[in-house]
Amino acid sequence: MIKKCDHPGCTKAGTCRAPKTRDLKEYWWFCRDHAAEYNKNWNYYAGMTPEEIEEDWEKQTFGSPLKDKKQSEQDAKDYINFLNDFITGRSTFDKKPPKRTTLPGRVVSALKFFDLPITASWREISARYRLLAKKYHPDTARTNKEAAAKNFTSLTSAYETLQKYFGKK
Ligand SMILES: [Zn+2]
């Protein structure tokens, strides 16, 4: 038996399936015309709050929240290592290569875009990247989507520059 189109007042046969919810578990059945109209307007993020959109996007993009437990543990371990080096006569501490004082111009510009100092570590860079990517991504930008899209492009290229420089790519 063919259902009637789900569009209010339409008497044509509902032969086209259209997703009702994001999880694609429920569907409308529309006639061809109403299905086309619906699909044109259907928005994956419809009905979600900005926070929910952010959370969903973050999960899909990074697979985890910004700062996970493992990362915190690693931070703590790094700090203890640093203290140990410092306390035990600085022998290993002093052997570490001196901090870079000159960076290639493109790396400096990239760090500037990230609003980070030239002494920034890779961890700081990747954490900032996550924040900025969320801020500028066309799907999650809250205001001025056009400017955000432009920034997202600059962000991507700045990040690639830094990935190369830090040997992460
Ligand atoms: Zn219809």
Side-chain angles (χ1 to χ4, degrees):
M1 187 192 110
I2 296 176
K3 271 182 63 148
K4 260 201 305 188
C5 172
D6 280 325
H7 195 274
C10 181
T11 53
K12 288 187 200 161
T15 50
C16 299
R17 205 165 69 145
K20 206 179 212 176
T21 52
R22 271 183 296 282
D23 56 18
L24 306 182
K25 279 185 184 147
E26 287 180 64
Y27 291 91
W28 295 105
W29 288 94
F30 289 130
C31 67
R32 193 185 292 265
D33 288 346
H34 283 128
E37 189 189 319
Y38 179 80
N39 285 333
K40 209 169 66 190
N41 295 308
W42 191 69
N43 178 351
Y44 175 84
Y45 289 122
M48 285 169 99
T49 66
E51 285 75 21
E52 286 170 334
I53 293 174
E54 255 176 37
E55 204 178 295
D56 183 83
W57 182 82
E58 207 168 81
K59 222 177 359 187
Q60 288 186 32
T61 310
F62 299 119
S64 69
L66 279 186
K67 178 137 184 155
D68 54 21
K69 198 166 160 254
K70 226 168 154 190
Q71 178 79 66
S72 307
E73 280 166 6
Q74 186 59 43
D75 284 347
K77 230 186 262 168
D78 284 353
Y79 183 65
I80 287 168
N81 285 341
F82 164 80
L83 279 183
N84 281 338
D85 278 348
F86 194 74
I87 293 163
T88 54
R90 301 175 58 104
S91 53
T92 50
F93 195 67
D94 287 342
K95 265 184 230 150
K96 280 184 180 164
K99 274 218 160 88
R100 292 179 301 265
T101 47
T102 53
L103 293 172
R106 62 193 150 68
V107 174
V108 175
S109 320
L111 286 169
K112 220 177 200 173
F113 187 85
F114 275 63
D115 198 21
L116 286 171
I118 56 165
T119 51
S121 67
W122 175 250
R123 181 166 302 158
E124 289 173 290
I125 290 166
S126 51
R128 183 63 60 92
Y129 173 69
R130 284 179 165 216
L131 286 175
L132 291 176
K134 200 167 82 174
K135 184 173 168 194
Y136 293 142
H137 194 279
D139 283 346
T140 49
R142 293 189 188 190
T143 53
N144 199 348
K145 300 212 175 242
E146 218 168 283
K150 227 173 172 183
N151 276 326
F152 190 74
T153 309
S154 309
L155 174 71
T156 308
S157 95
Y159 188 61
E160 274 170 13
T161 299
L162 293 171
Q163 276 182 310
K164 267 184 214 145
Y165 183 74
F166 281 82
K168 302 289 177 188
K169 205 177 184 183

